[in-house]
Amino acid sequence: MTTVLAVANQKGGVAKTTSVASLGAALAELGQRVLLVDLDPQACLTFSLGIDPEDLEVSVHHVLTKGTSPDEVILETEDGVDLLPATIELARAEADLLTRTGREHAVKAAVEPLEDAYDWVLLDCPPSLGVLTVAALTAAQGVLIPLQCETLSHRGVGQLLDTVHDVRRFTNRGLEVWGVLPTLYDGRTNHARTVLDTISETYDLDVVEPPIPKTIKFAEAPARGRSILATSRSSKGAKAYREVAANLLARAER
């Protein structure tokens, strides 16, 4: 059975795209067939995997709004995962979809025909709570929330959980919150752990372990068009994402 997992947080700068790319590569290392879907008009995931969005003639925008088959758009990457790429055109999708009946199901309609070909579909949501994020949550079985371990970073978690609640009511009754993934974690400070404890207590969310450490290696990887698992295989960051991927796989198989 295919696991469709949305990775979402409306706050930018929380390593959401890094997490999608790294977890995708780690799951591929574990023998899983993985599709990554870039739903962010900034196309950072697409760029991070070595593909220049400006060179693309078709993208996920055409799949969602023009009826283009995903098979015509999906690209292979050097990290062993397939990618449904984005371009800046996706910024128009919000407006295009707003006038359409069933807009919340646009991502689900695009992904469902592909499920026999993949074990995992990871949805990289935009840093907002608009139509594209709601459509991703409607398509997913679970949502993973990357969270920077700083006080201000968790202020938007309640808003995201409100959106999850609405999606459960109206478009996807079975959506589960898989938990918070701590990112940019500095284990030398008590502050980071305090933030995690606060999140767990305030919102009653699981914390996905291990935390992803803060390291310059993450900034270097996109410039080379690969994930950190390829550019710095033995780094603490790469090892942490491998452990998280193994834990997610174990959960999906339960």
Side-chain angles (χ1 to χ4, degrees), residues 170-189:
F170 298 114
T171 62
N172 184 2
R173 191 177 299 274
L175 180 64
E176 296 181 354
V177 179
W178 280 30
V180 169
L181 174 62
T183 61
L184 302 169
Y185 182 76
D186 187 347
R188 299 170 299 179
T189 68

Side-chain angles (χ1 to χ4, degrees), residues 70-148:
D71 291 328
E72 298 178 33
V73 183
I74 290 174
L75 302 172
E76 295 180 356
T77 74
E78 293 185 50
D79 276 79
V81 301
D82 286 353
L83 172 69
L84 195 51
T87 67
I88 191 62
E89 285 183 295
L90 190 57
R92 295 207 309 267
E94 294 267 354
D96 290 345
L97 291 172
L98 275 173
T99 61
R100 300 196 180 191
T101 303
R103 57 187 174 270
E104 297 90 351
H105 297 276
V107 174
K108 184 176 182 179
V111 166
E112 273 189 337
L114 302 169
E115 291 187 359
D116 287 343
Y118 297 101
D119 301 304
W120 288 79
V121 178
L122 302 184
L123 307 174
D124 184 19
C125 298
S128 71
L129 294 178
V131 173
L132 289 173
T133 296
V134 171
L137 295 175
T138 300
Q141 286 129 30
V143 55
L144 181 67
I145 307 171
L147 187 74
Q148 183 178 3

Side-chain angles (χ1 to χ4, degrees), residues 9 11-16 145-155 157 180-186 191-192 195-196 199 212 214:
N9 190 327
K11 185 180 185 303
V14 297
K16 176 175 55 62
I145 307 171
L147 187 74
Q148 183 178 3
C149 296
E150 293 184 359
T151 300
L152 293 179
S153 68
H154 70 76
R155 296 183 63 191
V157 172
V180 169
L181 174 62
T183 61
L184 302 169
Y185 182 76
D186 187 347
H191 176 68
V195 169
L196 283 188
I199 287 291
I212 307 302
K214 181 185 293 186

Side-chain angles (χ1 to χ4, degrees), residues 3 27 30-32 119-120 178 243-254:
T3 300
L27 287 166
L30 293 170
Q32 301 292 292
D119 301 304
W120 288 79
W178 280 30
E243 288 187 49
V244 171
N247 291 336
L248 294 180
L249 181 57
R251 171 172 179 151
E253 292 177 342
R254 287 206 295 267

Side-chain angles (χ1 to χ4, degrees), residues 29-108:
E29 284 186 355
L30 293 170
Q32 301 292 292
R33 300 168 300 166
V34 181
L35 173 67
L36 308 184
V37 182
D38 192 348
L39 293 172
D40 187 347
Q42 297 177 76
C44 292
L45 177 62
T46 300
F47 179 82
S48 295
L49 292 175
I51 297 162
D52 188 342
E54 295 186 8
D55 292 339
L56 299 176
E57 294 185 5
V58 289
S59 68
V60 69
H61 168 75
H62 297 83
V63 176
L64 297 179
T65 66
K66 308 294 185 185
T68 302
S69 170
D71 291 328
E72 298 178 33
V73 183
I74 290 174
L75 302 172
E76 295 180 356
T77 74
E78 293 185 50
D79 276 79
V81 301
D82 286 353
L83 172 69
L84 195 51
T87 67
I88 191 62
E89 285 183 295
L90 190 57
R92 295 207 309 267
E94 294 267 354
D96 290 345
L97 291 172
L98 275 173
T99 61
R100 300 196 180 191
T101 303
R103 57 187 174 270
E104 297 90 351
H105 297 276
V107 174
K108 184 176 182 179

